[in-house]
Amino acid sequence: MSDEAKTYGFDTLQLHAGAQPDPATGARQTPIYQNTAYVFRDADHAAALFNLQELGFIYSRLGNPTVAVLQERVATLEGGVGAVACASGHAAQVMALFPLMGPGDNFVASSRLYGGSINQFGHAFKHFGWEVRFVDTEDPDAVKAAIDGKTKAVFCESIANPGGYISDLKALAGIAHDAGVPLLVDNTSATPYLCRPLEHGADIVIHSTTKYLCGNATSMGGMVVDKGTFDWGASGRFPNMTEPEASYHGLKFFETFGNLAFTFYSIAITLRDIGMCQAPMNAFQTLLGIETLSLRMDKHCENALKVAQHLEQHSAVEYVSYAGLESSPYYSRVAEYCPKGASSIFTFGVKGGYDACVKLVDSVELFSHLANLGDARSLIIHSASTTHRQLTPEQQSAAGAGPEVVRLSIGLETAEDLIADLDQALAKAVG
Ligand SMILES: *Cc1c(COP(=O)(O)O)cnc(C)c1O
């Protein structure tokens, strides 16, 4: 679909990219290939598949026809050469770093991240011998200073969850590329409809498809998209990509596959050996969600702006941290990186602090109090007592999740109903 991808609009691609009527049955909607393995035509065919000389399906841990449609669709929407799906957003973060890292290596990450990512990077990754260096990405000198000879990537979120922060992707890409390392961007909160990081210098995009891409809170999933332009051979930093691969009889991925080296490594090594494949049923649900992505994101953004503007002038509210508001220090970055809108996740400070926040989440009726975002339904959570509970107070504040902070994920309901629900709950919480 690559030539067509240049001419078709986003609304067309979100419906068609990667899909065609099922060659076996003519089924127009992508079928759910709920199966594990695929019969070889003959022994030569089997050998060619296992040698990566011919593309095809072997075993669903490595690839599945339903999942493959989702991969091509997201690669097209992001403008990448290849994408690999996996079981969750957290699996995608492992998958994005696995081709780059080895024991003793490090990567530099923004301190403004999804709370679960801070835990995963700071604790679980130590088991692999991977070190994360958290920095304030608003301070270019701090980012540069954190990079050393063992650094393999710079990592940030486009629109950072939860604090309404928008990363300066061009600046970060410049710093990363000067040091010979790729910029990895978690684009979960923005989706490719609102922001296309690969057009702003990013090399790899990561998604939790669990959120807006699926959009109906039915299916966990992750995705890693490669732009295909990073030169893995230039710096000598990426032996996994350039040196002979012992588990593939000495295959050199970058030399053999060029701009698809990262994607092939992710399938042939990461999925094969780590095994975090996506279920076909989840890929199907996510494909259904993506069919209406642009329509939903427009409404998410419109509703979020209405709710944020209302809260900003509410007497029980200290501040609203939403990049879509003119009062936000990141408002100018909306025009640069996500001109169609600042997504629908944002935080606000409640007068009365921790106790008032807990009362607030217990008083809402239409909003659901739960740990998710990007659902069609509106969601509320008090980060300090839930998602960011395991972090130190300093980490909580750095991540925009202090004790007075409530996070909203604004859904697709009638905006006035959402505003009325927050008004009645704030009245009970703050009095
Ligand atoms: C949810 C989320 C993740 C983790 O994704 P899962 O699908 O829950 O594993 C990572 N990054 C961001 C920005 C998220 O919102």
Side-chain angles (χ1 to χ4, degrees):
M1 181 113 204
S2 50
D3 288 344
E4 295 156 7
K6 289 189 189 85
T7 54
Y8 285 137
F10 194 96
D11 295 347
T12 305
L13 294 172
Q14 72 187 1
L15 279 158
H16 291 283
Q20 53 180 5
D22 182 51
T25 62
R28 190 63 192 86
Q29 182 55 282
T30 300
I32 306 161
Y33 282 89
Q34 188 68 43
N35 62 293
T36 318
Y38 308 83
V39 177
F40 306 122
R41 287 194 303 271
D42 53 33
D44 286 344
H45 179 221
L49 289 175
F50 276 98
N51 278 343
L52 301 176
Q53 285 158 340
E54 186 178 331
L55 294 183
F57 297 105
I58 298 175
Y59 186 64
S60 283
R61 171 152 37 78
L62 308 170
N64 168 281
T66 310
V67 178
V69 174
L70 177 64
Q71 290 175 159
E72 191 171 337
R73 185 151 316 161
V74 176
T76 304
L77 295 179
E78 286 287 3
V81 295
V84 183
C86 54
S88 69
H90 269 196
Q93 293 178 163
V94 175
M95 178 173 252
L97 288 161
F98 198 74
L100 314 182
M101 305 280 289
D105 288 341
N106 68 70
F107 65 104
V108 175
S110 170
S111 52
R112 295 180 182 84
L113 295 180
Y114 175 71
S117 302
I118 295 176
N119 275 327
Q120 184 193 39
F121 293 177
H123 299 285
F125 279 3
K126 282 186 189 154
H127 297 271
F128 299 153
W130 299 353
E131 180 202 347
V132 62
R133 298 178 171 183
F134 289 115
V135 296
D136 177 359
T137 42
E138 285 304 294
D139 180 353
D141 292 333
V143 181
K144 282 180 207 160
I147 296 174
D148 66 15
K150 288 287 204 181
T151 302
K152 301 301 163 92
V154 173
F155 186 103
C156 69
E157 293 178 11
S158 49
I159 301 179
N161 173 351
Y165 166 79
I166 297 187
S167 295
D168 189 351
L169 299 178
K170 284 176 194 156
L172 289 172
I175 295 170
H177 294 163
D178 284 348
V181 302
L183 176 66
L184 277 48
V185 177
D186 180 338
N187 200 31
T188 298
S189 305
T191 82
Y193 178 66
L194 297 179
C195 178
R196 305 222 311 166
L198 301 180
E199 290 174 358
H200 301 293
D203 301 285
I204 307 277
V205 162
I206 293 140
H207 278 287
S208 165
T209 63
T210 313
K211 312 293 172 52
Y212 292 106
L213 289 181
C214 182
N216 48 38
T218 60
S219 308
M220 303 295 299
M223 188 73 72
V224 177
V225 186
D226 179 26
K227 186 179 184 187
T229 53
F230 191 82
D231 184 347
W232 301 108
S235 66
R237 276 178 200 251
F238 301 101
N240 294 343
M241 305 296 285
T242 56
E243 298 306 306
E245 171 58 45
S247 74
Y248 247 103
H249 40 71
L251 183 77
K252 295 181 181 174
F253 277 86
F254 188 43
E255 190 181 292
T256 309
F257 299 113
N259 68 344
L260 286 169
F262 183 91
T263 300
F264 271 85
Y265 190 96
S266 300
I267 296 167
I269 305 295
T270 315
L271 276 184
R272 184 192 69 175
D273 297 343
I274 311 294
M276 68 283 256
C277 55
Q278 183 167 127
M281 184 65 188
N282 287 28
F284 173 76
Q285 292 283 0
T286 306
L287 280 165
L288 288 187
I290 291 174
E291 292 187 349
T292 57
L293 180 65
S294 61
L295 308 176
R296 289 186 290 107
M297 293 315 290
D298 280 339
K299 172 83 168 166
H300 276 298
C301 292
E302 185 191 313
N303 273 0
L305 186 60
K306 282 186 191 163
V307 174
Q309 283 170 338
H310 176 77
L311 289 176
E312 197 171 35
Q313 48 76 47
H314 197 290
S315 62
V317 171
E318 270 181 37
Y319 60 85
V320 179
S321 180
Y322 179 51
L325 290 173
E326 279 175 51
S327 58
S328 166
Y330 304 106
Y331 185 70
S332 62
R333 291 208 186 135
V334 174
E336 189 173 6
Y337 292 115
C338 46
K340 292 200 214 74
S343 196
S344 78
I345 306 152
F346 65 88
T347 54
F348 65 104
V350 179
K351 286 184 186 159
Y354 195 98
D355 294 340
C357 292
V358 170
K359 245 189 236 165
L360 175 68
V361 297
D362 280 341
S363 303
V364 288
E365 289 163 8
L366 193 51
F367 278 79
S368 300
H369 176 210
L370 54 74
N372 189 19
L373 50 88
D375 190 348
R377 283 150 286 265
S378 288
L379 315 175
I380 188 168
I381 198 158
H382 178 223
S383 303
S385 60
T386 55
T387 53
H388 289 61
R389 193 183 183 92
Q390 318 303 339
L391 306 185
T392 64
E394 295 73 33
Q395 284 175 318
Q396 287 178 348
S397 296
E404 80 294 355
V405 180
V406 167
R407 184 185 84 194
L408 301 179
S409 172
I410 300 297
L412 304 176
E413 300 92 337
T414 305
E416 289 68 29
D417 295 340
L418 299 174
I419 288 171
D421 190 31
L422 290 172
D423 279 352
Q424 67 78 22
L426 278 167
K428 285 183 189 144
V430 182

